[in-house]
Amino acid sequence: MSSKSSVFAVIFISSLLVACHSSKNFVGNISKQEVRLAEQRLGMDISKHDDVALMVESSRWLGVPYKFGGLSRDGLDCSGLATVIYYNVYNTKLHRKSIDQFNLDSRHIKRQKLKSGDLVFFSITQSGKAIDHVGVYLKDDKFIHASTSKGVIVNNLDEQYYTSHWVSGGRVKH
């Protein structure tokens, strides 16, 4: 093969490799299109986030109605949402009740130490003592949870309601 042919072959193969690489447009196993859709649904930039899989999976559950004891897209409750997100993203099984997720599945952490994927625990009851609500921390003080009135939504920990019912963060033991 002549040197011109060799140069042409190298250029041709290189252009194929570059074309193949750029046509995938993946972040891990997740397409850029899925990332863009998740960003729109969550209302936040996630393309450079350390845990894109968490963000994309969380966005898939937005709008699912609340259903006590539910574990599907037909409806789920707060601990059910944490359970399915953890299983789908981290292949980790959590206990089914928020109190068990608090006591058995996680190490308690302060709000200032929260990282994406940590659990956030609240006491919504009037006694203010029982853990009865859980969400999954996303980033920038935002968390996803299943609200009894609005289904799966994202809220901010700085909102008065959540500040007044806050109990603790929880880092899941793997």
Side-chain angles (χ1 to χ4, degrees), residues 33-43 46 55-56 59:
Q33 181 179 357
E34 287 177 291
V35 171
R36 281 192 299 274
L37 180 59
E39 286 178 327
Q40 290 173 350
R41 296 195 78 209
L42 293 170
I46 65 169
M55 300 298 185
V56 170
S59 76

Side-chain angles (χ1 to χ4, degrees), residues 27-159:
V27 178
N29 296 358
I30 301 167
S31 73
K32 285 190 178 180
Q33 181 179 357
E34 287 177 291
V35 171
R36 281 192 299 274
L37 180 59
E39 286 178 327
Q40 290 173 350
R41 296 195 78 209
L42 293 170
M44 61 179 80
D45 178 20
I46 65 169
S47 61
K48 295 181 179 128
H49 194 271
D50 290 342
D51 203 344
V52 172
L54 169 67
M55 300 298 185
V56 170
E57 179 65 21
S58 295
S59 76
R60 292 173 179 157
W61 291 92
L62 286 172
V64 171
Y66 181 89
K67 180 179 178 186
F68 183 76
L71 276 173
S72 73
R73 296 200 191 278
D74 293 331
L76 41 63
D77 58 19
C78 63
S79 59
L81 177 65
T83 298
V84 296
I85 286 176
Y86 255 81
Y87 185 77
N88 291 345
V89 175
Y90 306 116
N91 198 29
T92 299
K93 291 183 181 179
L94 298 179
H95 284 84
R96 187 56 185 84
K97 295 180 180 178
S98 58
I99 187 67
D100 292 335
Q101 292 172 354
F102 179 75
N103 286 325
L104 304 173
D105 293 330
S106 61
R107 291 180 290 111
H108 305 162
I109 57 172
K110 295 181 180 185
R111 182 176 164 190
Q112 299 83 352
K113 301 285 185 180
L114 287 172
K115 294 180 182 177
S116 295
D118 285 338
L119 299 177
V120 289
F121 296 100
F122 304 90
S123 180
I124 306 298
T125 59
Q126 290 194 348
S127 73
K129 295 180 181 175
I131 301 292
D132 54 11
H133 192 64
V134 63
V136 179
Y137 186 75
L138 299 174
K139 73 174 204 166
D140 299 333
D141 292 323
K142 293 182 180 164
F143 68 103
I144 189 166
H145 65 117
S147 158
T148 56
S149 60
K150 297 179 182 174
V152 178
I153 57 173
V154 172
N155 281 100
N156 193 304
L157 290 173
D158 287 332
E159 294 173 40

